[in-house]
């Protein structure tokens, strides 16, 4: 195993590297892409605008370069010799190039790089972003080092190199400075890239939540119209800034002077809400851009959600928004809110805002968003911000995670998701954010069938929800099954400390609810502990003899407020208890208020006696509803109506608390893996036969180049060759069909085990050959694989299937025939960290077999983890491998490693195969 990479390295697809959106340091945006031949005039215009000194560093001359050189720069068809990227933005009324960078092959692994930024865009971090993209492209096309020359006094360019985080060396000769830097990512360059992205993204979203003013484009005088309701929401919620209705046919809307267009506004406005008919949205965007609007919320529907021309129109909308350097929420959304008293922004058509709090929420559904806001009011769940993202055409959940990570008003993040935009980007973000702030997600659409033809065990086992479930597990996201559970979790997370362990004490005045609560605790992995004799003695001092002093502590129906107070004071500070659940069901509602005061006093005193860092959850089953929480000395104690709910919430919170305290996983990089050989094998197979299963010989070559052990033996194409190989490795042997087209060998009699001599080997070969010939499939036989019989280990499997959205999904479970009968398999999304691999091995129900069971020796767990990590690295690097099964793998006792007995690998032109 070689160097170790941080697990938060961002995943970038090739398309994202070659083209996409850059977020600059000031929060504005620009578009980046490869130069094309038709960019010649725009590039010449850009170079002409550069000062002579900048021009010299960009094209190595202070003069305007000749046409043939500009044409050369705009031709990126051969990236192994040279390549140019341009950054564009609408500026002064037209789309222009505002930055450009090129590299040129200097030596086999070194490229000379030159870049320039328009003077009007200096200081926005654009040069560093451009250099980062150039380095990624250079690496992809075989260059590991970049070389540049500039003037020694060019402080701006030297700052670009320093800010990049790449390893570099400066050499000054006369007035010129030569810079040589490694294009390979380092811990420093990755960390700086993450910080730049986080800071810039947060800056780009700030105008949405802290605008200086809000314009409502499409503000109607009709009280039923959405545009009118948004104006009313802004005013009635007392937004702390000007509100500007835009209506070309009205002078006044909702008692506020209106303006005919955004261009007529008296001042630049940070945020514009667009609620106009679909066909004039693009024109409204142009007018907002002309007046300096930085953020747009497009309420209007009729875009990608209807398909067809709606998708085309949305693409044009996004292109226009980004070309103007703006950000957009929507389209097809209900708006957003910020409850901060200094802002008081309700830029939505929700009738009333929820109470202020420290919980942020994203909803992908506008209609459900309205219901969520009403539920938050009913439960008294305080929100900091709320965003309905609609079609997520620009601002995504990933962007909002980065904003909320830095938002001092937010402690807990809630997500209602119906789809993932970029789950491979979500993974490192959620993992990082979740270390500081809990993320709770409800994922809709979890029962939709993900049907496709599956040629391997792994693909057959991976359903539509496998990717989402695996992603949440890996990143520490707390998955809620329902909206009610999401609110239950939010109430506890937002108001109570995280538990330090899983030991729970339950106290009640009725046995039935306590039994349900205890069952739910145990089902969720919590421990309803046995109380110590000392604690029981203290409880016996005041409880009647009929009360239960075991856990759950049953104060019985006649319990008084004093009984509740004293029991809480005893249980809460107990060192053996990590959390306390209090249950009350009234026998006589007359005393409910008195009981509540006893609970409050007990909590206050119990906190003072040493129970300050433990969560407390209250199940209040009285008819009198207390809202979502009660206050105790400034603390909010969450309240639940059923006894199972606090137990279920606490169990998921305890799992999250354990995840957060564990060290970050690392992604290992194996120096002994020969990726060039593997890529060559796959490329040759695809070129020769098209996409499909690799042959047995090709598969063994790939596994060997991955550093994975297979049994001795080899491929035999005749009966005599099979007998010879068997004699060399020793009897008994296994003789198995080798075929790149037939997958399930046992179903056609293609596996002969415990073959004891050469004659039996020849008979086995002939039997397999004759069976296929009889079925008319003789050409499917590439030969037979002859291997020694394996014994003494535990059979496990490792597999990979490709999800169009999540990418490679890696599976682990018991192997052999058990994999599909028992379905004891767990999944993770690649890339795996060492922590992911360790968790997978210990997560399956069959883990007891791997630890050693009833005299059977334990398996080499570290060797199994090594296989998982190598396979993860393989499919991350070799995109042609889109499906893989290693089944069975014999896991031998510690120190004796693993052997892959059977393997199948599918090589494809594209990850989106079949």
């Amino acid at each position: 195993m070689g160097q170790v990479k941080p697990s938060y390295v961002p995943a970038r697809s090739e398309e994202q590297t070659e083209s996409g959106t850059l977020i600059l340091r000031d929060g504005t945006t620009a578009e980046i892409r490869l130069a094309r031949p038709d960019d010649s005039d725009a590039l010449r215009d850009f170079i002409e605008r550069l000062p002579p000194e900048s021009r010299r560093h960009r094209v190595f001359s202070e003069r305007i370069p000749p046409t043939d050189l500009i044409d050369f720069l705009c031709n990126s068809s051969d990236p192994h010799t040279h390549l140019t990227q341009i950054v564009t933005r609408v500026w002064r009324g037209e789309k222009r190039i505002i930055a450009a960078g090129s590299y040129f092959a200097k030596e086999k692994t070194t490229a000379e790089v030159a870049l320039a930024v328009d003077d009007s865009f200096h200081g926005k971090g654009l040069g560093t972003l451009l250099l980062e993209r150039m380095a990624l492209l250079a690496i992809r096309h075989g260059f590991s080092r970049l070389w540049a020359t500039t003037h020694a006094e060019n402080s701006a360019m030297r700052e670009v190199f320093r800010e990049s985080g790449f390893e570099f060396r400066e050499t000054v000769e006369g007035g010129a400075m030569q810079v040589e830097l490694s294009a390979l990512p380092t811990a420093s360059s990755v960390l700086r890239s993450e910080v730049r992205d986080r800071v810039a993204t947060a800056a780009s979203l700030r105008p949405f939540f802290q605008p200086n003013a809000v314009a409502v484009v499409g503000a109607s005088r009709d009280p039923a119209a959405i545009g009118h309701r948004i104006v009313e929401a802004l005013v009635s919620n007392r937004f702390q800034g000007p509100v500007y209705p835009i209506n070309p046919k009205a002078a006044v809307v909702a008692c506020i002077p209106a303006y005919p267009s955004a261009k007529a506004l008296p001042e630049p406005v940070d945020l514009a809400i667009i609620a106009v008919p679909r066909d004039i949205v693009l024109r409204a965007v142009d007018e907002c851009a002309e007046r300096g609007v930085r953020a747009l919320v497009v309420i209007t529907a009729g875009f990608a959600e209807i398909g067809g021309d709606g998708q085309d129109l949305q693409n044009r909308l996004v292109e226009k928004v980004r070309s103007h350097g703006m950000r957009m929420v929507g389209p097809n959304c209900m708006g957003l809110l910020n409850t901060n008293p200094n802002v008081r922004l309700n830029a939505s058509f929700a009738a009333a805002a929820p109470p202020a709090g420290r919980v942020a929420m994203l909803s992908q559904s506008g209609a459900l968003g309205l219901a969520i806001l009403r539920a938050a009011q009913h439960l008294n769940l305080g929100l900091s911000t709320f965003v309905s993202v609609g079609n997520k055409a620009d601002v995504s959940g990933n962007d909002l995670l980065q904003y909320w990570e830095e938002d001092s008003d937010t402690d807990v993040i809630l997500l209602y998701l119906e789809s993932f935009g970029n789950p491979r980007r979500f993974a490192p973000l959620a993992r990082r954010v979740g270390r500081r702030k809990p993320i709770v997600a409800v994922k809709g659409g979890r029962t939709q069938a993900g049907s496709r033809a599956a040629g391997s065990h792994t693909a057959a086992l991976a359903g539509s929800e496998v990717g989402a479930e695996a992603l949440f597990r890996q990143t520490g996201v707390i998955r809620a099954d329902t909206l009610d559970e999401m609110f239950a979790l939010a109430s506890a997370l937002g108001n109570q400390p995280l538990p330090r362990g899983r030991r729970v004490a339950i106290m009640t005045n009725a046995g039935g609810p306590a039994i349900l609560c205890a069952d739910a605790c145990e089902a969720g992995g919590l421990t309803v502990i046995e109380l110590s004799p000392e604690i029981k003695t203290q409880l016996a001092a005041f409880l009647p003899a009929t009360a239960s002093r075991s856990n759950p502590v049953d104060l019985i129906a006649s319990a008084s407020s004093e009984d509740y107070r004293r029991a809480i004071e005893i249980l809460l500070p107990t060192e053996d208890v990590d959390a306390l659940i209090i249950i009350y069901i009234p026998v006589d509602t007359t005393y409910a208020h008195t009981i509540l005061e006893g609970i409050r006093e007990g909590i206050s005193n119990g906190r003072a006696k040493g129970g300050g860092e433990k969560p407390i959850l209250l199940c209040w089953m009285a008819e009198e509803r207390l809202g979502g929480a009660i206050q105790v000395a400034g603390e909010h104690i969450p309240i639940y109506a059923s006894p199972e709910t606090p137990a279920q919430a606490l169990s998921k919170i305890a799992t999250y608390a354990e995840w957060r305290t564990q060290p970050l996983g690392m992604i290992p990089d194996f120096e002994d893996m020969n990726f060039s050989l593997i890529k060559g094998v796959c490329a040759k197979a695809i070129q020769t036969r098209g996409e499909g299963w690799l042959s047995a010989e090709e598969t063994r070559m790939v596994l060997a180049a991955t550093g994975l052990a297979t049994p001795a033996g080899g491929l035999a194409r005749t009966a005599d060759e099979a007998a010879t190989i068997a004699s060399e490795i020793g009897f008994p042997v296994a003789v198995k069909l080798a075929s790149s087209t037939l997958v399930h060998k046992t179903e056609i009699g293609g596996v002969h085990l415990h073959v004891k001599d050469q004659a039996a080997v020849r008979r086995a070969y002939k039997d397999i050959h004759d069976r296929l010939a009889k079925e008319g499939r003789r050409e499917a036989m590439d030969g037979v694989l002859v291997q020694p019989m394996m014994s003494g280990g535990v059979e496990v499997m490792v597999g990979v299937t490709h999800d169009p959205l999540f990418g490679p999904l890696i599976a682990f479970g018991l192997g052999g025939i058990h994999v599909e009968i028992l379905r004891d398999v767990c999944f993770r999304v690649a890339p795996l960290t060492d922590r992911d691999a360790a968790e997978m091995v210990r997560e399956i129900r069959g883990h007891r077999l791997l630890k050693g069971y009833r005299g059977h020796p334990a398996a080499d767990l570290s060797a199994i983890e090594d296989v998982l990590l190598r396979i993860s690295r393989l499919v991350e690097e070799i995109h042609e491998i889109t499906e893989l099964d290693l089944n069975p793998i014999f896991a031998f006792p510690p120190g004796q490693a693993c052997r892959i007995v059977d393997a199948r690998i599918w090589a494809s032109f594209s990850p989106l195969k079949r």
Side-chain angles (χ1 to χ4, degrees):
M1 188 180 297
Q3 65 184 21
V4 176
K5 300 177 179 178
S7 62
Y8 53 78
V9 174
R12 278 199 178 97
S13 68
E14 295 187 7
E15 293 77 11
Q16 289 174 314
T17 304
E18 292 181 351
S19 63
T21 302
L22 300 178
I23 304 178
L24 310 188
R25 191 177 293 155
D26 64 354
T28 61
T29 62
E31 295 176 286
I32 186 170
R33 61 174 172 82
L34 294 181
R36 302 186 298 253
D38 59 0
D39 292 317
S40 294
D41 291 342
L43 185 60
R44 173 179 289 277
D45 178 66
F46 166 70
I47 294 172
E48 287 177 349
R49 294 198 311 270
L50 294 174
E53 183 68 17
S54 298
R55 195 181 300 142
R56 182 163 65 85
H57 296 308
R58 176 66 185 85
V59 293
F60 314 109
S61 172
E62 294 186 3
R63 297 180 180 181
I64 303 300
T67 300
D68 59 347
L69 176 56
I70 291 180
D71 291 342
F72 171 78
L73 291 173
C74 290
N75 184 355
S76 300
S77 60
D78 185 6
H80 296 286
T81 60
H82 72 280
L83 180 146
T84 297
Q85 278 198 307
I86 60 172
V87 181
T88 62
R89 173 99 154 248
V90 172
W91 182 47
R92 295 179 180 174
E94 62 178 289
K95 197 167 189 177
R96 301 185 181 188
I97 295 175
I98 60 172
S102 302
Y103 70 68
F104 313 90
K106 183 177 174 65
E107 298 171 359
K108 183 176 180 180
T109 59
T110 303
E112 183 172 1
V113 65
L115 54 90
V117 176
D118 192 289
D119 281 1
S120 300
F121 290 87
H122 281 183
K124 302 181 186 297
L126 187 49
T128 304
L129 292 172
L130 186 54
L131 178 63
E132 180 183 292
R133 294 296 184 103
M134 297 299 298
L136 290 170
L137 288 169
I139 290 172
R140 185 185 307 155
H141 297 108
F143 303 105
S144 58
R145 303 196 71 79
L146 299 177
W147 183 89
T149 179
T150 187
H151 198 279
E153 295 180 0
N154 189 350
S155 58
M157 187 56 63
R158 298 178 74 176
E159 182 66 17
V160 166
F161 293 132
R162 278 193 293 268
E163 282 295 312
S164 70
F166 293 115
E167 296 177 354
F168 74 98
R169 183 181 62 186
E170 298 177 343
T171 304
V172 179
E173 294 183 6
M177 180 183 69
Q178 295 180 355
V179 180
E180 187 177 1
L181 71 156
S182 170
L184 300 174
T186 65
S188 174
S189 67
V190 168
L191 181 58
R192 291 190 183 208
S193 176
E194 288 289 341
V195 170
R196 282 194 299 271
D197 189 39
R198 184 164 72 230
V199 171
T201 300
S204 75
L205 298 190
R206 203 162 289 122
F208 287 102
F209 299 108
Q210 301 172 35
N212 68 324
V214 179
V216 182
V217 184
S220 173
R221 300 186 70 177
D222 179 1
I226 288 177
H228 186 95
R229 290 163 60 187
I230 292 173
V231 173
E232 281 195 329
L234 286 162
V235 174
S236 62
N237 203 59
R238 301 196 302 278
F239 169 60
Q240 300 297 293
V243 176
Y244 295 113
I246 306 295
N247 186 328
K249 299 180 180 179
V252 175
V253 174
C255 301
I256 303 174
Y259 296 83
S261 76
K263 294 188 293 185
L265 290 172
E267 64 172 331
V269 171
D270 283 343
L271 176 63
I273 315 299
I274 297 181
V276 299
R278 186 186 78 151
D279 294 340
I280 60 174
V281 167
L282 298 185
R283 187 180 73 196
V285 170
D286 284 332
E287 293 174 351
C288 288
E290 190 171 334
R291 195 62 187 94
V293 172
R294 300 181 60 189
L296 302 171
V297 175
V298 180
I299 305 293
T300 309
F303 290 87
E305 76 277 6
I306 66 170
D309 68 330
Q311 180 66 66
D312 295 337
L313 185 60
Q314 180 166 301
N315 293 341
R316 291 165 55 200
L317 172 63
V318 173
E319 182 181 1
K320 186 174 288 290
V321 167
R322 291 176 175 173
S323 68
H324 284 301
M326 300 188 291
R327 300 300 312 267
M328 174 183 69
V329 168
N332 185 34
C333 70
M334 60 160 283
L336 53 83
L337 300 93
N338 182 1
T339 64
N340 186 306
N342 296 322
V343 181
R344 301 186 64 89
L345 174 70
N346 183 358
S348 76
F349 50 87
R358 305 192 61 79
V359 177
M361 183 168 186
L362 171 155
S363 175
Q364 198 170 335
S365 165
L368 193 59
L370 291 171
I372 287 169
L373 293 177
R374 285 194 294 268
Q377 284 182 301
H378 175 71
L379 296 171
N380 199 31
L381 177 65
L383 299 183
S384 58
T385 48
F386 172 88
V387 186
S388 164
V389 292
N391 292 358
K392 298 191 296 184
D394 179 37
V395 172
S396 66
N398 292 343
D399 293 324
L400 289 163
L401 281 180
Q402 295 197 87
Y403 178 82
W404 286 325
E405 179 182 13
E406 302 298 326
D407 182 24
S408 60
D409 292 335
T410 296
D411 292 335
V412 180
I413 300 168
L414 308 182
L415 307 175
Y416 170 74
L417 303 172
E418 293 173 351
S419 65
F420 284 96
N422 185 354
R424 292 172 68 76
R425 181 62 178 145
F426 176 87
L429 288 177
R431 187 182 283 116
R432 187 186 74 215
V433 176
R435 306 290 289 193
R436 295 175 55 190
K437 301 179 180 183
I439 302 170
V440 182
V442 172
K443 170 67 169 61
R446 62 189 303 167
T447 61
Q448 294 178 357
S451 58
R452 70 180 184 92
S456 69
H457 298 299
T458 308
L461 292 163
S464 61
E465 272 299 290
V466 166
E469 184 66 32
L471 189 65
F472 289 152
R473 263 181 197 272
Q474 286 171 265
T475 56
V477 172
I478 307 170
R479 183 164 195 174
D481 294 322
T482 65
L483 288 177
D484 286 342
E485 186 179 35
M486 180 179 70
F487 287 131
L489 288 161
S491 183
L493 288 164
N495 295 304
Q496 291 295 298
L498 295 175
R500 294 181 175 178
R502 292 182 169 271
R503 301 168 302 175
V504 180
I506 303 169
M507 56 175 294
T508 181
N509 68 333
I515 293 171
L516 293 175
C517 182
D519 287 345
C521 284
E522 295 286 351
L526 301 175
T527 303
V528 182
I529 62 160
E530 179 66 28
L531 299 176
S532 68
E534 293 78 10
I535 296 298
K536 290 181 179 180
T537 299
Q538 294 178 48
L539 292 170
F542 65 92
L543 290 179
T546 52
S548 171
R549 294 175 291 280
S550 296
N551 193 13
V553 175
D554 188 352
L555 308 178
I556 69 173
S558 60
S560 65
S561 62
E562 183 69 6
D563 293 335
Y564 267 96
R565 179 188 68 79
R566 294 182 68 177
I568 294 170
E569 289 179 8
I570 291 170
L571 293 174
L572 187 56
T574 302
E575 292 184 0
D576 295 337
V577 172
D578 299 309
L580 176 62
I581 297 176
I582 304 169
I583 301 173
Y584 172 71
I585 183 168
V587 177
D588 185 343
T589 57
T590 306
Y591 299 103
H593 181 73
T594 304
I595 295 292
L596 185 60
E597 289 307 311
I599 291 173
R600 281 196 172 102
E601 188 176 350
I603 292 172
S604 181
N605 295 341
R607 292 289 198 212
K609 292 180 179 179
E613 296 300 320
K614 300 176 184 179
I616 304 170
L617 288 75
L618 172 60
C619 172
W620 186 262
M621 303 180 72
E623 292 183 7
E624 179 188 0
R625 296 303 179 204
L626 303 176
I630 61 170
Q631 285 197 1
V632 178
E635 175 187 2
H636 287 76
I637 307 297
I639 295 179
Y640 305 96
S642 66
E644 300 96 337
T645 305
Q648 292 162 351
L650 189 60
S651 67
K652 291 191 174 184
I653 292 171
T655 299
Y656 165 72
E658 289 174 348
W659 174 87
R660 199 159 94 163
T661 57
Q662 293 176 7
L664 279 171
M666 305 300 286
I667 300 173
D669 190 14
F670 298 93
E671 296 176 350
D672 60 345
M673 293 181 69
N674 190 339
F675 294 119
S676 60
L677 187 152
I678 299 169
K679 188 173 284 288
V681 169
C682 294
K684 184 177 179 180
I686 293 170
Q687 185 178 10
T688 303
R689 303 188 302 273
E691 62 179 14
W693 299 106
L694 296 183
S695 68
E697 192 171 21
E698 292 164 342
T699 297
R700 286 173 70 88
M701 291 173 64
V702 168
L703 295 178
T706 307
L708 297 175
T710 56
L715 179 68
R717 290 183 170 83
T718 67
D720 289 339
E721 286 182 7
T724 300
I725 294 173
S727 296
E728 291 173 351
I729 63 176
F731 294 97
V733 297
V735 179
K736 299 183 291 187
L737 169 68
S739 173
S740 59
T741 57
L742 299 178
V743 176
H744 300 290
K745 293 183 279 291
T746 55
E747 295 176 3
I748 56 173
V751 178
H752 290 245
L753 304 178
H754 302 288
V755 183
K756 297 181 179 180
D757 53 41
Q758 285 193 343
V761 170
R762 290 188 175 90
R763 286 196 300 273
Y765 184 98
K766 184 176 185 302
D767 180 71
I768 295 171
H769 178 274
D770 292 348
R771 280 174 178 263
L772 291 175
K774 184 177 181 180
E775 296 181 12
R777 293 191 284 181
R778 182 184 302 171
E779 71 284 350
M781 183 174 179
D782 300 330
V784 296
L785 197 62
V786 182
Q787 298 172 328
M789 289 298 301
M790 294 283 113
S791 62
V794 180
E795 292 186 36
V796 297
M797 64 83 65
V798 172
V800 175
T801 186
H802 191 279
D803 184 279
L805 183 61
F806 293 94
L809 299 180
I810 299 178
F812 172 74
L814 292 180
I817 62 173
H818 302 99
V819 62
E820 287 184 345
I821 295 176
L822 301 180
R823 301 182 71 86
D824 186 13
V825 180
C826 63
F827 283 84
R828 293 291 188 274
V829 178
L832 297 184
T833 66
D834 54 355
R835 178 174 163 186
D836 292 329
E839 288 178 352
M840 291 178 77
V841 171
R842 291 156 181 80
E843 185 176 307
I844 62 171
R845 295 188 300 275
H847 177 233
R848 294 172 67 188
L849 290 175
L850 302 178
K851 291 173 63 178
Y853 185 70
R854 293 191 176 181
H856 291 277
D860 193 335
L861 299 186
S862 62
I864 299 174
E865 293 166 20
D866 184 75
V867 173
L868 285 165
L869 292 168
R870 287 177 180 272
I871 290 299
S872 172
R873 188 76 182 89
L874 172 68
V875 296
E876 277 286 293
E877 187 71 25
I878 310 297
H879 298 165
E880 292 84 355
I881 295 178
T882 52
E883 201 164 306
L884 176 149
D885 259 354
L886 309 180
N887 181 34
I889 303 171
F890 273 75
F892 295 107
Q896 298 182 34
C898 297
R899 291 290 183 276
I900 299 168
V901 176
D902 204 355
R904 294 194 294 269
I905 299 175
W906 179 282
S908 174
F909 293 106
S910 161
L912 300 176
K913 68 180 179 58
R914 291 192 288 178

